[in-house]
Amino acid sequence: MAGFVVELERSRCRSYSRVVGHYPAAGVRAATHALMEAAVPPDAFFVVNGRMAFATMDVSRQERGLNVPRDVSIVGFDDVPQAAWAAP
């Protein structure tokens, strides 16, 4: 996390909000909704694993009606095999 924050600052990217934790899908969905309801919702998510990335993508596309990656970018960290699938 420390390296991530240093690189955000170095590249002058602004992090709107940060939610820390390892969530089951229901928790990820709730956290994604909460972040999306901010006065200035994020245009990108960086999540620590593929499972969380897929849940964030599901909320963004299916529940919020957003286009991934046009409206919001989602980056997962652990490169699960499903990340290579064409559908996501």
Side-chain angles (χ1 to χ4, degrees):
M1 184 65 195
F4 179 70
V5 171
V6 166
E7 289 304 317
L8 278 178
E9 292 170 358
R10 185 177 297 159
S11 64
R12 296 192 175 138
C13 288
R14 194 174 99 179
S15 176
Y16 292 105
S17 297
R18 183 177 116 193
V19 178
V20 178
H22 300 284
Y23 303 108
V28 175
R29 285 192 296 273
T32 302
H33 280 294
L35 291 167
M36 289 288 198
E37 291 166 6
V40 179
D43 60 2
F45 287 87
F46 182 89
V47 298
V48 299
N49 64 51
R51 183 173 166 213
M52 292 173 74
F54 284 111
T56 302
M57 194 178 324
D58 287 347
V59 167
S60 298
R61 290 173 42 200
Q62 297 169 1
E63 298 177 32
R64 305 295 287 196
L66 300 173
N67 178 289
V68 177
R70 185 185 69 219
D71 301 322
V72 64
S73 297
I74 301 169
V75 177
F77 184 71
D78 63 351
D79 199 23
V80 295
Q82 295 86 344
W85 294 356

Short mmCIF file of all heavy atoms in Angstrom, two decimals, residues 27-75:
data_model
loop_
_atom_site.label_atom_id
_atom_site.label_comp_id
_atom_site.label_asym_id
_atom_site.label_seq_id
_atom_site.Cartn_x
_atom_site.Cartn_y
_atom_site.Cartn_z
N GLY A 27 -19.67 -7.63 0.19
CA GLY A 27 -18.97 -6.48 0.77
C GLY A 27 -18.34 -5.59 -0.28
O GLY A 27 -18.35 -4.38 -0.17
N VAL A 28 -17.80 -6.21 -1.32
CA VAL A 28 -17.22 -5.44 -2.43
C VAL A 28 -18.31 -4.64 -3.12
O VAL A 28 -18.12 -3.45 -3.44
CB VAL A 28 -16.50 -6.35 -3.44
CG1 VAL A 28 -16.02 -5.54 -4.64
CG2 VAL A 28 -15.33 -7.06 -2.78
N ARG A 29 -19.44 -5.26 -3.34
CA ARG A 29 -20.55 -4.54 -3.98
C ARG A 29 -20.97 -3.34 -3.14
O ARG A 29 -21.16 -2.24 -3.65
CB ARG A 29 -21.72 -5.49 -4.23
CG ARG A 29 -21.47 -6.44 -5.40
CD ARG A 29 -22.74 -7.17 -5.82
NE ARG A 29 -23.26 -8.05 -4.78
CZ ARG A 29 -22.88 -9.31 -4.60
NH1 ARG A 29 -21.97 -9.84 -5.39
NH2 ARG A 29 -23.42 -10.03 -3.64
N ALA A 30 -21.10 -3.54 -1.84
CA ALA A 30 -21.50 -2.44 -0.96
C ALA A 30 -20.45 -1.32 -0.97
O ALA A 30 -20.80 -0.14 -1.04
CB ALA A 30 -21.72 -2.96 0.46
N ALA A 31 -19.19 -1.68 -0.92
CA ALA A 31 -18.12 -0.68 -0.94
C ALA A 31 -18.10 0.07 -2.26
O ALA A 31 -17.92 1.29 -2.29
CB ALA A 31 -16.77 -1.34 -0.68
N THR A 32 -18.31 -0.63 -3.37
CA THR A 32 -18.33 0.01 -4.68
C THR A 32 -19.48 1.01 -4.77
O THR A 32 -19.29 2.15 -5.22
CB THR A 32 -18.43 -1.04 -5.81
OG1 THR A 32 -17.32 -1.94 -5.70
CG2 THR A 32 -18.41 -0.38 -7.18
N HIS A 33 -20.66 0.60 -4.32
CA HIS A 33 -21.79 1.53 -4.32
C HIS A 33 -21.49 2.75 -3.46
O HIS A 33 -21.76 3.89 -3.86
CB HIS A 33 -23.06 0.84 -3.81
CG HIS A 33 -23.75 0.01 -4.83
ND1 HIS A 33 -24.34 0.54 -5.96
CD2 HIS A 33 -23.94 -1.33 -4.91
CE1 HIS A 33 -24.87 -0.43 -6.68
NE2 HIS A 33 -24.64 -1.58 -6.07
N ALA A 34 -20.92 2.54 -2.28
CA ALA A 34 -20.62 3.66 -1.39
C ALA A 34 -19.65 4.63 -2.05
O ALA A 34 -19.84 5.85 -1.99
CB ALA A 34 -20.05 3.14 -0.07
N LEU A 35 -18.62 4.11 -2.70
CA LEU A 35 -17.65 4.97 -3.37
C LEU A 35 -18.28 5.70 -4.55
O LEU A 35 -18.01 6.87 -4.80
CB LEU A 35 -16.43 4.17 -3.82
CG LEU A 35 -15.55 3.65 -2.68
CD1 LEU A 35 -14.56 2.61 -3.20
CD2 LEU A 35 -14.81 4.81 -2.02
N MET A 36 -19.15 5.01 -5.28
CA MET A 36 -19.80 5.61 -6.45
C MET A 36 -20.79 6.71 -6.05
O MET A 36 -21.12 7.56 -6.87
CB MET A 36 -20.53 4.55 -7.27
CG MET A 36 -19.62 3.63 -8.01
SD MET A 36 -18.88 4.51 -9.38
CE MET A 36 -18.32 3.16 -10.37
N GLU A 37 -21.27 6.68 -4.82
CA GLU A 37 -22.23 7.68 -4.38
C GLU A 37 -21.57 8.94 -3.82
O GLU A 37 -22.26 9.88 -3.41
CB GLU A 37 -23.19 7.06 -3.36
CG GLU A 37 -24.10 6.03 -4.01
CD GLU A 37 -24.82 5.14 -3.03
OE1 GLU A 37 -24.73 5.37 -1.80
OE2 GLU A 37 -25.48 4.19 -3.49
N ALA A 38 -20.25 9.01 -3.85
CA ALA A 38 -19.54 10.20 -3.38
C ALA A 38 -19.88 11.39 -4.26
O ALA A 38 -20.33 11.23 -5.41
CB ALA A 38 -18.03 9.94 -3.40
N ALA A 39 -19.67 12.59 -3.75
CA ALA A 39 -19.94 13.81 -4.52
C ALA A 39 -19.18 13.78 -5.85
O ALA A 39 -19.69 14.20 -6.88
CB ALA A 39 -19.55 15.04 -3.70
N VAL A 40 -17.95 13.30 -5.81
CA VAL A 40 -17.16 13.11 -7.03
C VAL A 40 -16.80 11.63 -7.07
O VAL A 40 -15.85 11.19 -6.43
CB VAL A 40 -15.88 13.98 -7.02
CG1 VAL A 40 -15.07 13.74 -8.28
CG2 VAL A 40 -16.21 15.44 -6.86
N PRO A 41 -17.57 10.83 -7.82
CA PRO A 41 -17.29 9.40 -7.84
C PRO A 41 -15.98 9.10 -8.57
O PRO A 41 -15.54 9.88 -9.41
CB PRO A 41 -18.48 8.81 -8.60
CG PRO A 41 -19.04 9.94 -9.38
CD PRO A 41 -18.71 11.20 -8.63
N PRO A 42 -15.35 7.99 -8.22
CA PRO A 42 -14.08 7.65 -8.85
C PRO A 42 -14.26 7.32 -10.34
O PRO A 42 -15.30 6.84 -10.76
CB PRO A 42 -13.61 6.42 -8.07
CG PRO A 42 -14.83 5.87 -7.44
CD PRO A 42 -15.78 7.00 -7.24
N ASP A 43 -13.21 7.60 -11.09
CA ASP A 43 -13.21 7.19 -12.50
C ASP A 43 -12.33 5.95 -12.68
O ASP A 43 -12.18 5.45 -13.79
CB ASP A 43 -12.77 8.32 -13.42
CG ASP A 43 -11.38 8.83 -13.13
OD1 ASP A 43 -10.70 8.30 -12.23
OD2 ASP A 43 -10.96 9.77 -13.81
N ALA A 44 -11.77 5.47 -11.57
CA ALA A 44 -10.94 4.26 -11.62
C ALA A 44 -10.93 3.60 -10.24
O ALA A 44 -11.04 4.27 -9.22
CB ALA A 44 -9.52 4.61 -12.04
N PHE A 45 -10.80 2.28 -10.27
CA PHE A 45 -10.65 1.49 -9.05
C PHE A 45 -9.39 0.66 -9.19
O PHE A 45 -9.15 0.07 -10.24
CB PHE A 45 -11.82 0.51 -8.87
CG PHE A 45 -13.11 1.15 -8.46
CD1 PHE A 45 -13.98 1.65 -9.41
CD2 PHE A 45 -13.45 1.25 -7.13
CE1 PHE A 45 -15.17 2.24 -9.04
CE2 PHE A 45 -14.64 1.83 -6.74
CZ PHE A 45 -15.51 2.33 -7.70
N PHE A 46 -8.61 0.59 -8.14
CA PHE A 46 -7.48 -0.33 -8.06
C PHE A 46 -7.80 -1.25 -6.91
O PHE A 46 -7.89 -0.80 -5.76
CB PHE A 46 -6.17 0.42 -7.80
CG PHE A 46 -4.98 -0.48 -7.76
CD1 PHE A 46 -4.28 -0.77 -8.92
CD2 PHE A 46 -4.57 -1.05 -6.57
CE1 PHE A 46 -3.17 -1.61 -8.88
CE2 PHE A 46 -3.47 -1.89 -6.52
CZ PHE A 46 -2.76 -2.17 -7.68
N VAL A 47 -8.00 -2.52 -7.20
CA VAL A 47 -8.36 -3.49 -6.16
C VAL A 47 -7.27 -4.54 -6.04
O VAL A 47 -6.52 -4.78 -6.98
CB VAL A 47 -9.74 -4.13 -6.42
CG1 VAL A 47 -10.82 -3.07 -6.40
CG2 VAL A 47 -9.76 -4.86 -7.74
N VAL A 48 -7.18 -5.15 -4.89
CA VAL A 48 -6.03 -6.00 -4.60
C VAL A 48 -6.12 -7.41 -5.14
O VAL A 48 -5.14 -8.14 -5.10
CB VAL A 48 -5.72 -6.05 -3.09
CG1 VAL A 48 -5.38 -4.67 -2.58
CG2 VAL A 48 -6.87 -6.64 -2.31
N ASN A 49 -7.28 -7.81 -5.66
CA ASN A 49 -7.32 -9.15 -6.24
C ASN A 49 -8.41 -9.23 -7.32
O ASN A 49 -9.28 -8.37 -7.40
CB ASN A 49 -7.50 -10.23 -5.17
CG ASN A 49 -8.80 -10.14 -4.42
OD1 ASN A 49 -9.87 -10.06 -5.01
ND2 ASN A 49 -8.72 -10.16 -3.10
N GLY A 50 -8.30 -10.26 -8.13
CA GLY A 50 -9.21 -10.43 -9.25
C GLY A 50 -10.66 -10.61 -8.82
O GLY A 50 -11.57 -10.10 -9.47
N ARG A 51 -10.86 -11.32 -7.76
CA ARG A 51 -12.22 -11.55 -7.28
C ARG A 51 -12.92 -10.23 -6.96
O ARG A 51 -14.06 -10.00 -7.33
CB ARG A 51 -12.17 -12.44 -6.04
CG ARG A 51 -13.50 -12.82 -5.49
CD ARG A 51 -13.31 -13.84 -4.38
NE ARG A 51 -14.53 -13.95 -3.62
CZ ARG A 51 -14.59 -14.20 -2.34
NH1 ARG A 51 -13.48 -14.38 -1.65
NH2 ARG A 51 -15.73 -14.29 -1.73
N MET A 52 -12.19 -9.34 -6.32
CA MET A 52 -12.75 -8.03 -6.01
C MET A 52 -12.93 -7.20 -7.28
O MET A 52 -13.89 -6.44 -7.40
CB MET A 52 -11.85 -7.31 -5.00
CG MET A 52 -11.87 -7.96 -3.62
SD MET A 52 -10.67 -7.25 -2.48
CE MET A 52 -11.44 -5.70 -2.11
N ALA A 53 -12.02 -7.34 -8.23
CA ALA A 53 -12.14 -6.61 -9.50
C ALA A 53 -13.40 -7.03 -10.25
O ALA A 53 -14.12 -6.19 -10.80
CB ALA A 53 -10.90 -6.83 -10.37
N PHE A 54 -13.68 -8.33 -10.29
CA PHE A 54 -14.88 -8.80 -10.97
C PHE A 54 -16.15 -8.30 -10.28
O PHE A 54 -17.11 -7.91 -10.94
CB PHE A 54 -14.90 -10.32 -11.09
CG PHE A 54 -13.98 -10.82 -12.15
CD1 PHE A 54 -12.84 -11.53 -11.83
CD2 PHE A 54 -14.24 -10.57 -13.50
CE1 PHE A 54 -11.98 -11.98 -12.82
CE2 PHE A 54 -13.38 -11.01 -14.49
CZ PHE A 54 -12.25 -11.72 -14.16
N ALA A 55 -16.17 -8.29 -8.95
CA ALA A 55 -17.34 -7.78 -8.24
C ALA A 55 -17.51 -6.29 -8.48
O ALA A 55 -18.62 -5.81 -8.69
CB ALA A 55 -17.21 -8.07 -6.74
N THR A 56 -16.41 -5.54 -8.50
CA THR A 56 -16.47 -4.11 -8.79
C THR A 56 -16.97 -3.87 -10.21
O THR A 56 -17.78 -2.98 -10.47
CB THR A 56 -15.08 -3.47 -8.59
OG1 THR A 56 -14.64 -3.70 -7.25
CG2 THR A 56 -15.11 -1.97 -8.86
N MET A 57 -16.51 -4.70 -11.14
CA MET A 57 -16.95 -4.59 -12.53
C MET A 57 -18.43 -4.91 -12.66
O MET A 57 -19.16 -4.22 -13.39
CB MET A 57 -16.13 -5.55 -13.41
CG MET A 57 -16.28 -5.29 -14.88
SD MET A 57 -15.27 -6.37 -15.94
CE MET A 57 -13.79 -6.60 -15.02
N ASP A 58 -18.90 -5.93 -11.96
CA ASP A 58 -20.32 -6.27 -12.01
C ASP A 58 -21.19 -5.12 -11.52
O ASP A 58 -22.19 -4.78 -12.15
CB ASP A 58 -20.61 -7.52 -11.17
CG ASP A 58 -20.10 -8.80 -11.81
OD1 ASP A 58 -19.75 -8.77 -13.01
OD2 ASP A 58 -20.05 -9.82 -11.10
N VAL A 59 -20.81 -4.51 -10.41
CA VAL A 59 -21.58 -3.38 -9.89
C VAL A 59 -21.56 -2.23 -10.90
O VAL A 59 -22.59 -1.65 -11.22
CB VAL A 59 -21.03 -2.89 -8.53
CG1 VAL A 59 -21.62 -1.54 -8.15
CG2 VAL A 59 -21.31 -3.92 -7.45
N SER A 60 -20.37 -1.91 -11.41
CA SER A 60 -20.24 -0.80 -12.33
C SER A 60 -21.09 -0.99 -13.58
O SER A 60 -21.81 -0.08 -14.00
CB SER A 60 -18.77 -0.62 -12.74
OG SER A 60 -17.99 -0.32 -11.60
N ARG A 61 -21.05 -2.17 -14.15
CA ARG A 61 -21.76 -2.44 -15.41
C ARG A 61 -23.22 -2.75 -15.19
O ARG A 61 -24.10 -2.15 -15.82
CB ARG A 61 -21.09 -3.60 -16.13
CG ARG A 61 -19.72 -3.25 -16.68
CD ARG A 61 -18.96 -4.42 -17.26
NE ARG A 61 -19.81 -5.29 -18.05
CZ ARG A 61 -19.51 -6.55 -18.34
NH1 ARG A 61 -18.40 -7.08 -17.91
NH2 ARG A 61 -20.32 -7.28 -19.06
N GLN A 62 -23.50 -3.71 -14.34
CA GLN A 62 -24.85 -4.24 -14.23
C GLN A 62 -25.76 -3.43 -13.30
O GLN A 62 -26.96 -3.33 -13.54
CB GLN A 62 -24.80 -5.69 -13.76
CG GLN A 62 -24.09 -6.58 -14.75
CD GLN A 62 -23.80 -7.96 -14.19
OE1 GLN A 62 -24.14 -8.27 -13.06
NE2 GLN A 62 -23.15 -8.79 -14.99
N GLU A 63 -25.19 -2.87 -12.25
CA GLU A 63 -26.02 -2.17 -11.27
C GLU A 63 -25.96 -0.65 -11.41
O GLU A 63 -26.90 0.03 -11.01
CB GLU A 63 -25.62 -2.59 -9.86
CG GLU A 63 -25.84 -4.09 -9.61
CD GLU A 63 -25.38 -4.54 -8.24
OE1 GLU A 63 -25.46 -3.74 -7.29
OE2 GLU A 63 -24.93 -5.70 -8.12
N ARG A 64 -24.87 -0.12 -11.96
CA ARG A 64 -24.74 1.33 -12.11
C ARG A 64 -24.87 1.78 -13.57
O ARG A 64 -24.91 2.97 -13.84
CB ARG A 64 -23.39 1.80 -11.57
CG ARG A 64 -23.09 1.41 -10.14
CD ARG A 64 -23.97 2.00 -9.12
NE ARG A 64 -23.71 3.41 -8.89
CZ ARG A 64 -24.15 4.05 -7.83
NH1 ARG A 64 -24.83 3.42 -6.90
NH2 ARG A 64 -23.92 5.33 -7.69
N GLY A 65 -24.90 0.83 -14.51
CA GLY A 65 -25.07 1.15 -15.91
C GLY A 65 -23.88 1.83 -16.56
O GLY A 65 -24.02 2.53 -17.56
N LEU A 66 -22.71 1.63 -16.02
CA LEU A 66 -21.50 2.24 -16.56
C LEU A 66 -20.82 1.35 -17.58
O LEU A 66 -20.98 0.13 -17.55
CB LEU A 66 -20.52 2.56 -15.42
CG LEU A 66 -21.03 3.51 -14.34
CD1 LEU A 66 -20.04 3.60 -13.20
CD2 LEU A 66 -21.31 4.88 -14.94
N ASN A 67 -20.07 1.96 -18.45
CA ASN A 67 -19.27 1.22 -19.42
C ASN A 67 -17.85 1.11 -18.88
O ASN A 67 -17.24 2.12 -18.52
CB ASN A 67 -19.27 1.96 -20.77
CG ASN A 67 -18.42 1.26 -21.81
OD1 ASN A 67 -17.19 1.26 -21.71
ND2 ASN A 67 -19.07 0.69 -22.79
N VAL A 68 -17.37 -0.12 -18.79
CA VAL A 68 -15.99 -0.37 -18.37
C VAL A 68 -15.23 -0.72 -19.64
O VAL A 68 -15.63 -1.63 -20.34
CB VAL A 68 -15.92 -1.54 -17.36
CG1 VAL A 68 -14.48 -1.85 -16.98
CG2 VAL A 68 -16.76 -1.25 -16.12
N PRO A 69 -14.25 0.02 -20.05
CA PRO A 69 -13.47 1.03 -19.35
C PRO A 69 -13.80 2.49 -19.72
O PRO A 69 -13.13 3.39 -19.23
CB PRO A 69 -12.06 0.72 -19.79
CG PRO A 69 -12.21 0.31 -21.22
CD PRO A 69 -13.54 -0.44 -21.25
N ARG A 70 -14.79 2.74 -20.56
CA ARG A 70 -15.06 4.13 -20.97
C ARG A 70 -15.40 5.02 -19.78
O ARG A 70 -14.86 6.12 -19.64
CB ARG A 70 -16.17 4.19 -22.00
CG ARG A 70 -16.40 5.61 -22.56
CD ARG A 70 -17.59 5.69 -23.48
NE ARG A 70 -18.80 5.51 -22.66
CZ ARG A 70 -19.86 4.82 -23.06
NH1 ARG A 70 -19.89 4.24 -24.24
NH2 ARG A 70 -20.91 4.68 -22.26
N ASP A 71 -16.31 4.59 -18.92
CA ASP A 71 -16.76 5.42 -17.79
C ASP A 71 -15.92 5.24 -16.54
O ASP A 71 -15.76 6.18 -15.76
CB ASP A 71 -18.22 5.10 -17.45
CG ASP A 71 -19.15 5.34 -18.62
OD1 ASP A 71 -18.95 6.33 -19.35
OD2 ASP A 71 -20.09 4.55 -18.81
N VAL A 72 -15.44 4.05 -16.34
CA VAL A 72 -14.65 3.75 -15.14
C VAL A 72 -13.65 2.65 -15.49
O VAL A 72 -13.97 1.72 -16.22
CB VAL A 72 -15.56 3.33 -13.95
CG1 VAL A 72 -16.31 2.05 -14.22
CG2 VAL A 72 -14.79 3.25 -12.66
N SER A 73 -12.43 2.80 -14.98
CA SER A 73 -11.39 1.79 -15.16
C SER A 73 -11.30 0.95 -13.90
O SER A 73 -11.44 1.48 -12.79
CB SER A 73 -10.04 2.45 -15.43
OG SER A 73 -10.10 3.19 -16.63
N ILE A 74 -11.04 -0.33 -14.07
CA ILE A 74 -10.91 -1.23 -12.92
C ILE A 74 -9.66 -2.06 -13.12
O ILE A 74 -9.50 -2.73 -14.14
CB ILE A 74 -12.16 -2.13 -12.77
CG1 ILE A 74 -13.40 -1.26 -12.60
CG2 ILE A 74 -11.98 -3.10 -11.60
CD1 ILE A 74 -14.70 -2.00 -12.72
N VAL A 75 -8.78 -2.00 -12.14
CA VAL A 75 -7.52 -2.72 -12.20
C VAL A 75 -7.46 -3.68 -11.03
O VAL A 75 -7.63 -3.29 -9.88
CB VAL A 75 -6.32 -1.76 -12.13
CG1 VAL A 75 -5.01 -2.52 -12.11
CG2 VAL A 75 -6.35 -0.76 -13.28
#
